[in-house]
Amino acid sequence: MFDWMVWTTPVAAFFGAIAVLLAGMTLWEIRSPTTLRKGFLPIATTRGDRLFIGLLTAAYINLGFVGVAGRLQQWLKLDSEPSVWISFVLSMAVLVLIMRRG
């Protein structure tokens, strides 16, 4: 069923992190209902809104990195493409920033 997907460790970690985030947010929402809050995002958001925006941002960061990795290898004259762990860590940091300050 999932033969079309290339399940490398970073890909599995990314989707695993999303699953853990969704489960954690569900429990957090049950325990403590959310309220609207205004951060650096241009709209007032709830925790769920910030999670959705953060996940979209994280996905775009990862896709962008995969698209640019070959060029980075050429520009920086690296022996191999940069590790996708870089984009994973960067995207999770941006997600945390959006959740905390967004």
Side-chain angles (χ1 to χ4, degrees), residues 24-96:
M25 287 293 291
T26 300
L27 294 173
W28 191 8
E29 185 66 28
I30 290 169
R31 183 164 169 86
S32 169
T34 190
T35 58
L36 284 175
R37 183 177 63 122
K38 180 79 170 87
F40 68 81
L41 294 172
I43 56 174
T45 58
T46 64
R47 283 190 301 252
D49 297 334
R50 290 188 301 276
L51 177 65
F52 180 72
I53 293 167
L55 287 175
L56 282 177
T57 305
Y60 286 127
I61 288 170
N62 281 290
L63 287 172
F65 186 84
V66 168
V68 177
R71 297 275 187 199
L72 283 175
Q73 179 184 1
Q74 291 173 351
W75 293 337
L76 301 176
K77 297 179 180 23
L78 302 173
D79 293 334
S80 62
E81 287 186 358
S83 173
V84 291
W85 283 108
I86 296 168
S87 67
F88 175 74
V89 170
L90 179 63
S91 65
M92 289 300 109
V94 169
L95 177 62
V96 168

